[in-house]
Amino acid sequence: MINVRFYYDVVCPYSYLESHVIEAAEDGGEVEVEWLPFELRPAPKPLLQPRGDHLRVDWTRNVYARAQAMGIEIHLPRYQPRSTLPLAACLWAAEQGRLRNFKHALYEAFFCEGEDIATDGEIIRAATRAGLDPEGAVAAAYDPARYAAIAAIRAEAAAAGVGGVPSLLAADGSSHWGMGGLARLLGGEPLVPRSL
């Protein structure tokens, strides 16, 4: 069994797409995964503009083609929220043994339904869909200790050479930024780290 760490953000389309690959390998017994939330744009970093050129160009050139090739529904979100609250709730959902269901409820609300997943209402809805206590999810989303945990995960990731998502960190310390890391690892190919 190969052990990896997989860094994701619930507002990153590539994390959403690559999660399907990682989960399939996890389900197939090929890999054991430690799922780690990595906030792409923690405050005070500026957020992307929902209708800005960066998003439109990247989605047109890359995201839609990859999603279509994988058979995954995805749409350019109407919002670009800070992901602190949903990621804090993801830490809690992992403790409850329901991270996958909760994460997918957030991804689907954001990338398929066009909702702002950084609101209490959407965190409640995701928790309900995942079979979790909605009040517990909201309480976790506002827990300062979870914010500190997210910051610590990010700092630890940076020390290991991880600077973005999706990223995979192998047991030997090698890392891969972007999609395809697990396929490379399982195929015996070298991982491609992000140049920081």
Side-chain angles (χ1 to χ4, degrees), residues 124-182:
I124 287 169
R125 194 163 73 107
T128 301
R129 286 178 168 182
L132 290 163
D133 171 39
E135 291 178 17
V138 171
Y142 287 94
D143 182 354
R146 294 184 197 284
Y147 302 162
I150 290 168
I153 289 167
R154 198 173 204 287
E156 183 181 288
V162 172
V165 292
S167 284
L168 181 131
L169 183 64
D172 68 0
S174 60
S175 66
H176 185 92
W177 175 59
M179 295 181 66
L182 185 59

Side-chain angles (χ1 to χ4, degrees), residues 46-80:
L47 296 171
L48 296 176
Q49 294 301 312
R51 297 295 174 246
D53 286 343
H54 171 78
L55 285 175
R56 284 184 300 149
V57 169
D58 185 49
W59 278 70
T60 302
R61 290 185 182 163
N62 301 304
V63 175
Y64 286 126
R66 288 176 185 242
Q68 186 174 21
M70 296 173 77
I72 298 171
E73 178 183 359
I74 194 167
H75 307 281
L76 178 61
R78 295 183 298 166
Y79 305 95
Q80 283 298 309

Side-chain angles (χ1 to χ4, degrees), residues 5-79:
R5 289 180 164 192
F6 182 71
Y7 297 90
Y8 67 93
D9 194 339
V10 291
V11 297
C12 172
Y14 300 108
S15 289
Y16 174 50
L17 297 174
E18 190 70 356
S19 286
H20 288 81
V21 174
I22 304 292
E23 289 167 359
E26 191 175 42
D27 292 345
E30 298 175 87
V31 64
E32 188 169 316
V33 182
E34 182 179 3
W35 295 86
L36 295 166
F38 183 100
E39 189 173 10
L40 270 176
R41 292 173 194 84
K45 285 188 177 183
L47 296 171
L48 296 176
Q49 294 301 312
R51 297 295 174 246
D53 286 343
H54 171 78
L55 285 175
R56 284 184 300 149
V57 169
D58 185 49
W59 278 70
T60 302
R61 290 185 182 163
N62 301 304
V63 175
Y64 286 126
R66 288 176 185 242
Q68 186 174 21
M70 296 173 77
I72 298 171
E73 178 183 359
I74 194 167
H75 307 281
L76 178 61
R78 295 183 298 166
Y79 305 95

